[in-house]
Amino acid sequence: MSLRLINGRDVAAQVTEALNDRLQALRVQGTNPGLAVVVVGDDPASHVYVRMKGKACERLGMLSRTHILPSVTSEDELLDMIDSLNADVEIHGILCQLPLPPHIDERKVIERIDPHKDVDAFHPYNVGRMLIGDPLFLPATPAGIQRLLMSYDVETRGKHVVVLGRSNIVGKPMASILMQKGDGADATVTVAHSRSKDLAGLCRQADILIAAVGIPLFVKADMVKEGSVVIDVGTNRVDDATSDKGYRLVGDVDFDNVKEKVSAISPSPGGVGPMTIAMLMENTVKAAEMSLRH
Ligand code: NAP
């Protein structure tokens, strides 16, 4: 069986390219989408992601504002900043990079963002709309995975998808997107987590396995069905003395061994990661389009 490598960089480039016409139409109407990213503290991975988001905006000629706040920022100060971004007509999308320092209540911050500017789609209003199948925005990572599957003509209708992980950011929204009616969905979804029994057996039932556990190389070849499709969401830093940075990124899937058994697989890096950024840009463009209709 020939193996298909699901290349997230290619699909992300197509998604981004397709935004140019929409950007042009917005600019004709005097609007350029603006994304504000707020990061609190000095988590190195957060700063890498924030830089990538800023660069993606700049490549599209969109307004990008990054607010880097010290880790001692109080919850009230952060909420005030969100209020001012909610009121800012140049800003159409707001996201607060997670995780936040422990003295700040993440839920309070997420719920303060205007749902129409909530391009991460983490606000309970947007989570609810996603669940009933009428989303304003879909969260970027699971939406990017759905788009990847569709781009590679991976049929989801009637297929058994096993999602490994139940986080609010990846696992739960992934399941709720793929269980909806319609193209790129209509799947039978199982969500597995650290309390699931016989995890390997569950995974072996999957026509499509989506791994989002955050453990390097967790999914081994004996956990996948012959001919299935595997999507690796994991982005894990592992020590590597041979790298300049002292680490390298690996996924949740033991790629080298799993690829021998499956029909298609997304690598990490180079799979889901670029899609997340592209979908965030798409959400920001959509937010700007919606702002003209209000
Ligand atoms: P998370 O919040 O830590 O959630 C991990 C999930 O995996 C939890 O539901 C946990 O179960 C489950 N889990 C942990 N150990 C397990 C085990 N031994 N067996 C079965 N399930 C287990 O992580 P996340 O935010 O969803 O992220 C997951 C991975 O995706 C990370 O590597 C992250 O860096 C990556 N990620 C990548 C992108 C991207 O754009 N490429 C975006 C987001 C996340 P419990 O709920 O029972 O604890």
Side-chain angles (χ1 to χ4, degrees), residues 236-255:
N236 309 293
R237 285 186 181 199
V238 294
D239 292 340
D240 183 354
T242 64
S243 149
D244 290 347
K245 297 176 184 156
Y247 69 86
R248 69 193 153 87
L249 295 177
V250 300
D252 286 352
V253 176
D254 180 4
F255 181 88

mmCIF file of all heavy atoms in Angstrom, residues 236-255:
data_model
loop_
_atom_site.group_PDB
_atom_site.id
_atom_site.type_symbol
_atom_site.label_atom_id
_atom_site.label_comp_id
_atom_site.label_asym_id
_atom_site.label_seq_id
_atom_site.Cartn_x
_atom_site.Cartn_y
_atom_site.Cartn_z
ATOM 1 N N ASN A 236 6.027 18.243 21.002
ATOM 2 C CA ASN A 236 6.714 18.061 22.286
ATOM 3 C C ASN A 236 8.198 18.376 22.135
ATOM 4 O O ASN A 236 8.834 17.949 21.178
ATOM 5 C CB ASN A 236 6.570 16.599 22.739
ATOM 6 C CG ASN A 236 5.114 16.132 22.718
ATOM 7 O OD1 ASN A 236 4.305 16.612 23.498
ATOM 8 N ND2 ASN A 236 4.791 15.221 21.821
ATOM 9 N N ARG A 237 8.706 19.138 23.091
ATOM 10 C CA ARG A 237 10.143 19.427 23.093
ATOM 11 C C ARG A 237 10.882 18.284 23.780
ATOM 12 O O ARG A 237 10.563 17.932 24.914
ATOM 13 C CB ARG A 237 10.431 20.696 23.891
ATOM 14 C CG ARG A 237 10.048 21.954 23.150
ATOM 15 C CD ARG A 237 10.479 23.177 23.924
ATOM 16 N NE ARG A 237 10.084 24.370 23.191
ATOM 17 C CZ ARG A 237 10.599 25.574 23.375
ATOM 18 N NH1 ARG A 237 11.534 25.765 24.286
ATOM 19 N NH2 ARG A 237 10.195 26.597 22.660
ATOM 20 N N VAL A 238 11.873 17.689 23.086
ATOM 21 C CA VAL A 238 12.718 16.687 23.753
ATOM 22 C C VAL A 238 14.168 17.162 23.657
ATOM 23 O O VAL A 238 14.570 17.789 22.672
ATOM 24 C CB VAL A 238 12.570 15.273 23.136
ATOM 25 C CG1 VAL A 238 11.176 14.710 23.369
ATOM 26 C CG2 VAL A 238 12.898 15.264 21.645
ATOM 27 N N ASP A 239 14.942 16.884 24.702
ATOM 28 C CA ASP A 239 16.345 17.305 24.728
ATOM 29 C C ASP A 239 17.091 16.733 23.534
ATOM 30 O O ASP A 239 16.898 15.567 23.173
ATOM 31 C CB ASP A 239 17.014 16.817 26.026
ATOM 32 C CG ASP A 239 16.429 17.542 27.233
ATOM 33 O OD1 ASP A 239 15.835 18.614 27.045
ATOM 34 O OD2 ASP A 239 16.554 17.008 28.358
ATOM 35 N N ASP A 240 17.933 17.566 22.934
ATOM 36 C CA ASP A 240 18.755 17.100 21.820
ATOM 37 C C ASP A 240 20.036 17.930 21.798
ATOM 38 O O ASP A 240 20.032 19.088 21.356
ATOM 39 C CB ASP A 240 17.981 17.262 20.499
ATOM 40 C CG ASP A 240 18.771 16.723 19.316
ATOM 41 O OD1 ASP A 240 19.949 16.337 19.504
ATOM 42 O OD2 ASP A 240 18.208 16.699 18.199
ATOM 43 N N ALA A 241 21.117 17.312 22.278
ATOM 44 C CA ALA A 241 22.391 18.027 22.397
ATOM 45 C C ALA A 241 22.956 18.381 21.025
ATOM 46 O O ALA A 241 23.777 19.300 20.896
ATOM 47 C CB ALA A 241 23.374 17.172 23.194
ATOM 48 N N THR A 242 22.493 17.675 19.960
ATOM 49 C CA THR A 242 23.039 17.945 18.625
ATOM 50 C C THR A 242 22.378 19.176 17.980
ATOM 51 O O THR A 242 22.836 19.656 16.945
ATOM 52 C CB THR A 242 22.831 16.740 17.684
ATOM 53 O OG1 THR A 242 21.429 16.557 17.494
ATOM 54 C CG2 THR A 242 23.466 15.474 18.247
ATOM 55 N N SER A 243 21.293 19.639 18.587
ATOM 56 C CA SER A 243 20.609 20.802 18.008
ATOM 57 C C SER A 243 21.128 22.083 18.671
ATOM 58 O O SER A 243 21.434 22.093 19.871
ATOM 59 C CB SER A 243 19.094 20.650 18.228
ATOM 60 O OG SER A 243 18.497 21.906 18.366
ATOM 61 N N ASP A 244 21.182 23.174 17.888
ATOM 62 C CA ASP A 244 21.654 24.461 18.425
ATOM 63 C C ASP A 244 20.808 24.894 19.616
ATOM 64 O O ASP A 244 21.300 25.474 20.580
ATOM 65 C CB ASP A 244 21.542 25.564 17.353
ATOM 66 C CG ASP A 244 22.551 25.341 16.254
ATOM 67 O OD1 ASP A 244 23.457 24.511 16.475
ATOM 68 O OD2 ASP A 244 22.410 25.979 15.181
ATOM 69 N N LYS A 245 19.510 24.629 19.517
ATOM 70 C CA LYS A 245 18.590 25.067 20.571
ATOM 71 C C LYS A 245 18.664 24.180 21.812
ATOM 72 O O LYS A 245 18.142 24.529 22.865
ATOM 73 C CB LYS A 245 17.145 25.033 20.053
ATOM 74 C CG LYS A 245 16.879 25.980 18.908
ATOM 75 C CD LYS A 245 15.447 25.772 18.420
ATOM 76 C CE LYS A 245 15.143 26.629 17.208
ATOM 77 N NZ LYS A 245 14.073 26.090 16.396
ATOM 78 N N GLY A 246 19.273 23.001 21.668
ATOM 79 C CA GLY A 246 19.336 22.074 22.802
ATOM 80 C C GLY A 246 18.111 21.168 22.884
ATOM 81 O O GLY A 246 18.011 20.327 23.768
ATOM 82 N N TYR A 247 17.163 21.365 21.960
ATOM 83 C CA TYR A 247 15.972 20.495 21.924
ATOM 84 C C TYR A 247 15.508 20.358 20.484
ATOM 85 O O TYR A 247 15.930 21.106 19.605
ATOM 86 C CB TYR A 247 14.847 21.079 22.790
ATOM 87 C CG TYR A 247 14.242 22.355 22.231
ATOM 88 C CD1 TYR A 247 13.201 22.312 21.300
ATOM 89 C CD2 TYR A 247 14.714 23.608 22.601
ATOM 90 C CE1 TYR A 247 12.655 23.474 20.774
ATOM 91 C CE2 TYR A 247 14.172 24.773 22.075
ATOM 92 C CZ TYR A 247 13.142 24.698 21.164
ATOM 93 O OH TYR A 247 12.595 25.839 20.639
ATOM 94 N N ARG A 248 14.649 19.359 20.272
ATOM 95 C CA ARG A 248 13.951 19.284 18.983
ATOM 96 C C ARG A 248 12.495 18.960 19.258
ATOM 97 O O ARG A 248 12.140 18.544 20.374
ATOM 98 C CB ARG A 248 14.611 18.255 18.070
ATOM 99 C CG ARG A 248 14.442 16.848 18.506
ATOM 100 C CD ARG A 248 15.387 15.916 17.730
ATOM 101 N NE ARG A 248 15.677 14.754 18.549
ATOM 102 C CZ ARG A 248 14.926 13.663 18.588
ATOM 103 N NH1 ARG A 248 13.880 13.555 17.810
ATOM 104 N NH2 ARG A 248 15.221 12.662 19.391
ATOM 105 N N LEU A 249 11.660 19.173 18.247
ATOM 106 C CA LEU A 249 10.228 18.921 18.417
ATOM 107 C C LEU A 249 9.873 17.545 17.875
ATOM 108 O O LEU A 249 10.340 17.167 16.786
ATOM 109 C CB LEU A 249 9.411 19.973 17.660
ATOM 110 C CG LEU A 249 9.540 21.415 18.176
ATOM 111 C CD1 LEU A 249 8.742 22.368 17.296
ATOM 112 C CD2 LEU A 249 9.069 21.524 19.630
ATOM 113 N N VAL A 250 9.106 16.791 18.649
ATOM 114 C CA VAL A 250 8.596 15.509 18.151
ATOM 115 C C VAL A 250 7.099 15.441 18.435
ATOM 116 O O VAL A 250 6.586 16.109 19.336
ATOM 117 C CB VAL A 250 9.300 14.283 18.782
ATOM 118 C CG1 VAL A 250 10.788 14.289 18.502
ATOM 119 C CG2 VAL A 250 9.035 14.193 20.270
ATOM 120 N N GLY A 251 6.441 14.580 17.682
ATOM 121 C CA GLY A 251 4.994 14.449 17.839
ATOM 122 C C GLY A 251 4.615 13.427 18.900
ATOM 123 O O GLY A 251 5.461 12.919 19.642
ATOM 124 N N ASP A 252 3.308 13.139 18.950
ATOM 125 C CA ASP A 252 2.775 12.125 19.866
ATOM 126 C C ASP A 252 2.809 10.736 19.230
ATOM 127 O O ASP A 252 2.415 9.758 19.857
ATOM 128 C CB ASP A 252 1.310 12.444 20.208
ATOM 129 C CG ASP A 252 1.179 13.618 21.166
ATOM 130 O OD1 ASP A 252 2.209 14.090 21.684
ATOM 131 O OD2 ASP A 252 0.024 14.057 21.394
ATOM 132 N N VAL A 253 3.221 10.679 17.963
ATOM 133 C CA VAL A 253 3.170 9.417 17.220
ATOM 134 C C VAL A 253 4.592 8.979 16.870
ATOM 135 O O VAL A 253 5.416 9.793 16.448
ATOM 136 C CB VAL A 253 2.332 9.604 15.925
ATOM 137 C CG1 VAL A 253 2.348 8.338 15.083
ATOM 138 C CG2 VAL A 253 0.894 10.009 16.262
ATOM 139 N N ASP A 254 4.835 7.688 17.053
ATOM 140 C CA ASP A 254 6.125 7.090 16.689
ATOM 141 C C ASP A 254 6.136 6.950 15.159
ATOM 142 O O ASP A 254 5.924 5.862 14.606
ATOM 143 C CB ASP A 254 6.237 5.738 17.399
ATOM 144 C CG ASP A 254 7.544 5.033 17.100
ATOM 145 O OD1 ASP A 254 8.400 5.620 16.408
ATOM 146 O OD2 ASP A 254 7.673 3.887 17.554
ATOM 147 N N PHE A 255 6.372 8.091 14.507
ATOM 148 C CA PHE A 255 6.187 8.227 13.059
ATOM 149 C C PHE A 255 6.894 7.123 12.263
ATOM 150 O O PHE A 255 6.298 6.492 11.388
ATOM 151 C CB PHE A 255 6.694 9.612 12.631
ATOM 152 C CG PHE A 255 6.549 9.903 11.175
ATOM 153 C CD1 PHE A 255 5.381 10.463 10.680
ATOM 154 C CD2 PHE A 255 7.566 9.612 10.281
ATOM 155 C CE1 PHE A 255 5.230 10.729 9.323
ATOM 156 C CE2 PHE A 255 7.431 9.866 8.931
ATOM 157 C CZ PHE A 255 6.269 10.433 8.453
#
